[in-house]
Amino acid sequence: MGTCMHNAVLRLENLTKRYGSVLAVDHLNLEVPPGQIFSLLGPNGAGKTTTLEMTEGLRPPDDGHVYLGNVDVIRHPAVARLRFGVQLQTSAFFELLTVRETLELFGNLYPGPLPVSDLITRMGLEEKAGARVEALSGGQRQRLALGVALVNDPEVVFLDEPSAGLDPQARRNLWDVILGLKAEGRTVVLTTHYMDEAEVLSDRLAIMDHGRVLDAGTPRELIERHLPAAMIELDPDVAIGADPSGIPGVLSIERRGEATVLVTERLEEALVSLVSWAGREGRELRGLRTRGATLEDVFLKLTGRSLRE
Amino acid sequence: MKATWTLLAALIRVTVRNRQGLFWTLFFPVVLMVVFSFLGNSTSHINIAVVEAPGTSSPVVSVLKKSPGFALHRMDRTRALAEVRSGQMDAALFIPNTRTGGGSSTLTLRYNNANLIAGQETVGSVTAFIAQVNVALSGRPPAYRIAAAPMAKSRASTYLDFLLPGVLALMVMQNSLFGIGSGLTRWKEKGILRRFRVTPLKPVEFLGATVLNYIAVGFATSVIIIGLATGLLHATVVLPLLALFLVLLLGMACFLAIGFIVAGVAKTQEATIPIVNLISFPMMFLSGIFFPVSSLPKTLSHIVHYFPLTYVAGALRGLMSGQLTLVSGAMRADLLGMAAWLVIAGLIAARVWRWE
Ligand SMILES: Nc1ncnc2c1ncn2[C@@H]1O[C@H](COP(=O)(O)OP(=O)(O)O)[C@@H](O)[C@H]1O
Ligand SMILES: [Mg+2]
């Protein structure tokens, strides 16, 4: 943060939105480099949708600016809209139009739309091209929404919770499509509250909570900045207190649902002292395993709670 | 502009595919007209219960008997009243015992009033007949005679003729009010509107296409209703096409504007239904669709006079009965009334309209 990217395709400056007494988005600053997948990761109510919809020119911010290249999106939304594509978190299409008709309708709203048949193939909707929207499954609707977001061959694509409500197989297919967008040189800005999704897709991500960006960077940067650490996990029934002072090298001991987690920055030293502690105390180290820190751990450290809560 | 037409074409497609919506737009007007056209044609003569002192026979009765328009049934007072009330008899004629020399005597006619038009017809026929009898009994030649000869292509004013402009007005109201008030709110609620707001489509283009769609539906339905009424049900009405087009358009514009107020105020489609019903039900029954506003109690008719549907129905009936044209003085009040509603409702709609 703080560093200014000169080539950012999207810049959010001081973006702020209030709903009554709720500060939904709180003086938010972000820069998105071109050609990458950028994720806003945060729990429900963090302000992701509000941020995205202000960026799309759909909700007026109380304060702040959004620049797409050098276009002021809030002042000139019509210009910006030609260059980005949007999948909203809550939106719908006419139930009685077919998939093809829907794509044609939206394509006709833009100069020089992509060929509808290409979009249908790309979204894997060939079999449903002539089917009405009312007859589509949740995953097919999601793909149609994504197809509509691409009709104008956009430079930047905004996807708000693109995998919400999808089964695991459909999510994986969707991830492939999103990675394909990046391969075509488009910039993708998406929101998610799934850690695995953020990890698989993001080149860079911003962790959001309570309307603020707690930190932003590549997944690796975030982990190294906040937890240059490794984790030792034990089964939760191993009787070990919360006090790490008897085990040199271990920074903290936390109980997290299905495991007891020992955080360390010097894994070897910590393991040696853990084993000798176990010998001294006569404990069995059931379920002993080690792993590196994940985004989940970073999120926990930054917000004090787990994403799933 | 191209975007408006693209969207309009899509909306018309959606409307035509919405079988249920089409059904309800057409069902009500068609059923109303068919039912009333049969009811109107069923009475070939007027049934009259004659109540007379036993043993007597008034000359009135013997003359009435000879007339093909009346079927007479002698009965006592109680039964006569009961049968008139239940509708078996159209009216009961009470004939007093004596006719005081020189003075006139009063024949009381109690008639069934369930159907206003039929009731008036009964009273009118009997009154005309009695007038004829009076003249005959006076022994003097009548001052005027009528030589009646049927016209080749005459226009009979049936109840259907009265009803048709009313049904058109009613359809115009329902189509516009439900279309915008309820349909547009549904699109808003489901997020269809927001999706268009992140495209280059301008808000006025979206609203323009939506309005044009309902106007197109309104005209198509009008053509079907008029075609059915004149072609199959033998309604005899005048059809000044340009004037009808303009009045229908103005009427639709009024109710579209009112629909936009509803869509602006309501958050969900569910919430619009009672609002739309609250607006349309009183007008449907009071605004001269089924019976003339003038037959309402005076105070009420003064209020009803200002209802938008009263203006629309009044203007359409004036045109279709052949009594008025667009430039008739009597038409001016209706046209001004609609224009006033359009402006006022339009201004309010512009204030309360919300995209979300
Ligand atoms: N239209 C609105 N009116 C009032 N409050 C809202 C509205 N939209 C969002 N909020 C509130 O703003 C906060 C952020 O919401 P949102 O941006 O939807 O979060 P997220 O997308 O991260 O789940 C929440 O507290 C939510 O309740
Ligand atoms: Mg959201």
Side-chain angles (χ1 to χ4, degrees):
Chain A
M1 295 179 89
T3 57
C4 184
M5 265 176 248
H6 291 289
N7 63 344
V9 65
L10 195 65
R11 274 200 331 277
L12 281 55
E13 290 178 2
N14 220 20
L15 213 51
T16 304
K17 183 77 183 181
R18 255 184 210 90
Y19 294 113
S21 62
V22 179
L23 198 51
V25 176
D26 184 4
H27 299 88
L28 186 133
N29 291 285
L30 272 181
E31 296 194 328
V32 178
Q36 295 194 351
I37 299 178
F38 189 98
S39 304
L40 287 174
L41 175 69
N44 279 328
K48 305 183 295 294
T49 296
T50 306
T51 302
L52 219 53
E53 293 191 350
M54 287 192 289
T55 308
E56 293 153 359
L58 193 54
R59 297 192 202 188
D62 292 323
D63 197 7
H65 297 279
V66 177
Y67 296 98
L68 177 67
N70 44 24
V71 176
D72 183 332
V73 177
I74 289 148
R75 282 238 193 108
H76 307 288
V79 180
R81 273 170 198 156
L82 295 174
R83 292 171 55 186
F84 62 66
V86 173
Q87 179 186 7
L88 296 169
Q89 183 174 6
T90 49
S91 73
F93 300 105
F94 294 115
E95 297 276 314
L96 297 177
L97 291 185
T98 66
V99 167
R100 183 179 292 112
E101 286 164 348
T102 304
L103 289 166
E104 275 166 2
L105 169 61
F106 279 89
N108 281 333
L109 304 179
Y110 294 90
L114 290 178
V116 166
S117 51
D118 290 2
L119 290 168
I120 289 174
T121 316
R122 164 110 60 106
M123 295 301 132
L125 286 169
E126 295 96 331
E127 278 172 27
K128 291 286 168 183
R132 291 185 185 176
V133 171
E134 63 185 353
L136 299 184
S137 71
Q140 290 162 342
R141 276 168 201 247
Q142 208 77 334
R143 271 183 278 159
L144 174 61
L146 192 52
V148 172
L150 298 178
V151 285
N152 58 328
D153 195 10
E155 199 179 317
V156 178
V157 186
F158 295 105
L159 309 173
D160 199 354
E161 307 262 355
S163 68
L166 297 190
D167 60 61
Q169 183 55 43
R171 281 180 76 202
R172 233 151 283 257
N173 293 344
L174 181 81
W175 291 350
D176 289 339
V177 174
I178 294 173
L179 289 168
L181 296 180
K182 180 172 82 161
E184 292 169 352
R186 302 182 207 276
T187 307
V188 178
V189 180
L190 61 86
T191 73
T192 182
H193 61 271
Y194 295 116
M195 196 61 67
D196 53 346
E197 187 161 285
E199 240 169 71
V200 169
L201 295 177
S202 320
D203 295 301
R204 296 175 63 82
L205 60 100
I207 294 181
M208 268 193 91
D209 200 16
H210 301 302
R212 268 180 297 205
V213 169
L214 302 176
D215 202 358
T218 66
R220 189 105 305 273
E221 275 169 12
L222 288 176
I223 291 168
E224 278 169 9
R225 185 142 63 228
H226 297 283
L227 286 171
M231 310 282 156
I232 302 169
E233 292 185 347
L234 296 171
D235 282 356
D237 58 351
V238 177
I240 184 167
D243 177 15
S245 58
I247 314 170
V250 172
L251 296 173
S252 67
I253 301 174
E254 293 158 24
R255 217 160 274 277
R256 289 191 203 163
E258 61 273 35
T260 301
V261 177
L262 288 67
V263 180
T264 175
E265 289 184 359
R266 298 189 302 276
L267 184 57
E268 271 178 45
E269 181 190 340
L271 275 175
V272 169
S273 52
L274 178 64
V275 170
S276 61
W277 168 84
R280 241 181 7 254
E281 303 278 324
R283 302 277 152 75
E284 194 182 334
L285 294 174
R286 274 191 303 277
L288 176 70
R289 59 199 174 266
T290 66
R291 63 174 174 87
T294 63
L295 283 175
E296 181 102 49
D297 302 309
V298 175
F299 188 86
L300 193 74
K301 177 163 180 228
L302 287 174
T303 65
R305 59 212 170 88
S306 153
L307 251 183
R308 307 200 191 292
E309 276 165 17
Chain B
M1 211 52 210
K2 177 193 155 216
T4 308
W5 296 123
T6 299
L7 182 58
L8 176 59
L11 292 179
I12 287 179
R13 217 174 247 157
V14 168
T15 309
V16 171
R17 285 178 190 171
N18 181 1
R19 289 290 137 81
Q20 212 182 342
L22 282 188
F23 177 78
W24 285 113
T25 306
L26 277 172
F27 176 80
F28 199 49
V30 167
V31 165
L32 272 179
M33 291 194 309
V34 169
V35 166
F36 279 108
S37 72
F38 283 130
L39 287 186
N41 294 338
S42 65
T43 52
S44 56
H45 51 238
I46 298 170
N47 284 307
I48 294 187
V50 175
V51 183
E52 218 176 356
T56 61
S57 180
S58 161
V60 173
V61 176
S62 48
V63 183
L64 264 177
K65 239 180 213 163
K66 286 183 201 136
S67 161
F70 300 101
L72 299 196
H73 312 265
R74 290 189 74 118
M75 54 185 79
D76 65 34
R77 181 186 177 81
T78 329
R79 193 172 140 214
L81 286 177
E83 294 204 354
V84 171
R85 188 168 293 124
S86 70
Q88 281 163 281
M89 293 291 135
D90 294 304
L93 188 65
F94 297 93
I95 299 180
N97 252 341
T98 51
R99 189 167 151 264
T100 44
S104 65
S105 71
T106 303
L107 309 178
T108 309
L109 186 73
R110 300 292 301 274
Y111 62 97
N112 181 298
N113 198 28
N115 182 310
L116 189 102
I117 306 275
Q120 293 302 340
E121 221 171 291
T122 306
V123 174
S125 309
V126 174
T127 309
F129 210 85
I130 299 298
Q132 223 172 309
V133 172
N134 278 335
V135 171
L137 287 179
S138 72
R140 273 180 288 157
Y144 300 100
R145 272 180 207 283
I146 288 180
M151 279 288 294
K153 278 183 173 175
S154 62
R155 194 169 280 133
S157 185
T158 64
Y159 183 58
L160 182 61
D161 300 347
F162 175 87
L163 189 65
L164 174 57
V167 163
L168 270 185
L170 190 60
M171 182 278 297
V172 159
M173 173 175 78
Q174 303 285 48
N175 173 51
S176 311
L177 208 52
F178 271 99
I180 294 291
S182 221
L184 191 59
T185 306
R186 180 179 149 87
W187 294 346
K188 188 155 82 164
E189 185 185 357
K190 293 190 72 188
I192 292 179
L193 251 62
R194 356 184 32 237
R195 186 59 190 76
F196 281 102
R197 289 188 56 218
V198 285
T199 70
L201 187 73
K202 294 188 196 73
V204 294
E205 291 175 319
F206 186 91
L207 296 183
T210 311
V211 164
L212 286 177
N213 171 50
Y214 286 112
I215 288 179
V217 173
F219 278 121
T221 315
S222 301
V223 168
I224 295 173
I225 291 175
I226 294 175
L228 179 83
T230 56
L232 285 179
L233 303 176
H234 310 296
T236 43
V237 287
V238 192
L239 297 172
L241 291 183
L242 180 65
L244 282 178
F245 175 83
L246 292 174
V247 168
L248 285 171
L249 193 63
L250 191 55
M252 285 188 223
C254 273
F255 287 110
L256 287 169
I258 297 172
F260 271 109
I261 300 180
V262 177
V265 180
K267 289 202 170 57
T268 63
Q269 187 194 18
E270 209 141 272
T272 64
I273 292 168
I275 302 178
V276 168
N277 284 339
L278 196 69
I279 296 173
S280 63
F281 265 56
M283 288 201 272
M284 176 164 144
F285 292 115
L286 299 176
S287 282
I289 303 301
F290 300 103
F291 53 86
V293 176
S294 56
S295 58
L296 291 171
K298 227 187 182 100
T299 3
L300 187 56
S301 78
H302 280 317
I303 302 168
V304 170
H305 181 73
Y306 295 102
F307 287 1
L309 190 62
T310 312
Y311 292 126
V312 180
L316 288 175
R317 193 164 287 139
L319 291 175
M320 296 179 85
S321 67
Q323 289 167 339
L324 304 178
T325 66
L326 270 190
V327 291
S328 307
M331 186 64 98
R332 198 170 305 144
D334 288 332
L335 294 179
L336 284 177
M338 282 187 268
W341 271 102
L342 173 59
V343 170
I344 294 169
L347 288 175
I348 296 175
R351 295 215 115 203
V352 300
W353 171 253
R354 295 277 173 279
W355 283 100
E356 311 233 357

